[in-house]
Amino acid sequence: MEQVRTVLKWAGSKIRIMDILKQHLPAGRRLVEPFAGSCAVMMNTDYEEYLIADINPDLINLYQNIKLNPERFIAYARKFFELCNSAEDFYIVRADFNLSSASEERAVMFLYLNRHCFNGLCRYNRSGGFNSPYGKYKAPYFPEKEIRAFAEKAKRATFICCSFDEALAMVLPGDVIYCDPPYLPASSTANFTGYAAACFGKLEHEQLSANLLVLAERSYPVIASNADTREARGLYGKFKIASFDAPRSVGAAAGSIKTAPEIIAKITPKNPQYLPLVCEEETEGTD
């Protein structure tokens, strides 16, 4: 089945494994995602509502601006894509982006940088400045169709910039929780900690798995993705684990696609926390 494409290019996007992932996402009223990423999961599922959170303010700002006024966003963003596609243009926009504090301007420049930088990598330095390099693409794609599709789906969504533990504290009866954190490194040279200028290390992974286990004990369905490593399997030892090979295309060679082992860890309670129904007896005789 062809998947709905996303506005952003994104390392670790779930777009290529949605057919597998959807087999592990149970029914519920609202999907809660503390790690928004490209919103591939939101775009390719059909929950009544979505709570989409991320610690990266630029990501959430982009989504909020698209939801607010998609046509205005498209018109503004198109002007940036009409610039000459050169390294000089890219680094000028990158420098302006790192100095800007205007919400709408940062949103359109973030999209431009994402579509023009190397492999769509979202990387920041320790000072919080976006520092992904120029990608040297002949014709970067302007995702007008994807922006409109996102804006339509976003009518069901709330976007919040916060940490994963703050997002998990917002769950309500009827929610399904899916977490796609920065993966545990498969090797000592594979670690990537530049996302949102914050490190997501072993301590954060331990806290996340512990928080999910607490929610599962309270009868919430919880699902998490990660690399298939001994450490990840240890963290999710009390979860049911499914393993598979996921395609990867972040290599230096253009168009190169390899596979890497991943896991989906889940606990789906027999009696999940659904919204309580109002009994007919309770409504009789009320005004």
Side-chain angles (χ1 to χ4, degrees):
M1 180 179 177
E2 185 176 356
Q3 306 299 340
V4 179
R5 295 174 60 182
T6 57
V7 173
L8 297 174
K9 296 171 63 177
W10 204 254
S13 172
K14 293 295 170 281
I15 194 74
R16 291 194 182 102
I17 67 160
M18 281 308 306
D19 287 340
I20 296 173
L21 181 57
K22 283 192 286 188
Q23 297 174 27
H24 299 277
L25 293 175
R29 182 183 61 83
R30 184 176 71 164
L31 182 67
V32 176
E33 283 197 83
F35 304 91
S38 66
C39 280
V41 179
M42 184 188 84
M43 294 304 300
N44 288 280
T45 54
D46 192 27
Y47 290 88
E48 293 178 35
E49 296 180 31
Y50 295 85
L51 175 61
I52 306 296
D54 203 278
I55 200 170
N56 186 329
D58 293 319
L59 190 64
I60 296 301
N61 180 59
L62 169 71
Y63 294 152
Q64 289 173 336
N65 271 274
I66 293 175
K67 178 180 179 179
L68 180 65
N69 194 329
E71 295 306 318
R72 177 184 171 91
F73 180 89
I74 288 170
Y76 193 0
R78 184 183 286 115
K79 295 177 181 178
F80 281 83
F81 279 73
E82 291 172 351
L83 292 170
C84 294
N85 177 28
S86 68
E88 181 181 6
D89 290 315
F90 175 84
Y91 288 114
I92 288 173
V93 174
R94 195 180 78 172
D96 290 343
F97 173 81
N98 286 331
L99 293 173
S100 176
S101 59
S103 170
E104 187 178 26
E105 183 180 51
R106 283 188 69 89
V108 297
M109 288 193 290
F110 186 70
L111 176 62
Y112 170 90
L113 293 172
N114 171 265
R115 286 285 174 175
H116 288 73
C117 75
F118 178 73
N119 277 331
L121 289 175
C122 185
R123 192 182 70 184
Y124 297 80
N125 59 30
R126 292 183 179 180
S127 300
F130 189 90
N131 68 350
S132 296
Y134 178 55
K136 301 180 182 179
Y137 300 113
K138 291 183 178 179
Y141 176 65
F142 180 55
E144 181 174 348
K145 177 182 177 181
E146 289 77 8
I147 292 170
R148 289 199 172 96
F150 180 90
E152 183 62 29
K153 194 63 171 286
K155 293 177 182 178
R156 306 189 209 173
T158 299
F159 300 97
I160 300 175
C161 182
C162 67
S163 63
F164 71 86
D165 51 341
E166 291 173 317
L168 292 177
M170 300 177 192
V171 298
L172 299 170
D175 287 348
V176 172
I177 299 102
Y178 171 64
C179 293
D180 183 29
Y183 281 9
L184 284 160
S187 67
S188 60
T189 59
N191 204 4
F192 173 70
T193 58
Y195 180 76
C199 174
F200 198 94
K202 182 179 179 180
L203 182 62
E204 287 74 21
H205 278 284
E206 290 174 348
Q207 183 180 351
L208 173 61
S209 62
N211 287 358
L212 292 180
L213 189 58
V214 169
L215 288 171
E217 290 171 349
R218 296 176 182 171
S219 296
Y220 286 96
V222 294
I223 305 94
S225 292
N226 217 308
D228 191 352
T229 66
R230 181 182 298 179
E231 189 173 7
R233 284 179 175 266
L235 284 172
Y236 294 99
K238 295 183 178 180
F239 291 63
K240 182 178 180 181
I241 292 179
S243 60
F244 61 98
D245 289 328
R248 288 283 178 271
S249 58
V250 187
S256 63
I257 296 179
K258 298 181 180 180
T259 61
E262 289 193 11
I263 61 169
I264 295 175
K266 66 176 181 178
I267 299 178
T268 49
K270 293 182 180 179
N271 298 304
Q273 281 274 15
Y274 289 124
L275 284 172
L277 298 175
V278 178
C279 297
E280 290 185 4
E281 294 105 33
E282 294 175 355
T283 61
E284 290 180 0
T286 58
D287 294 330

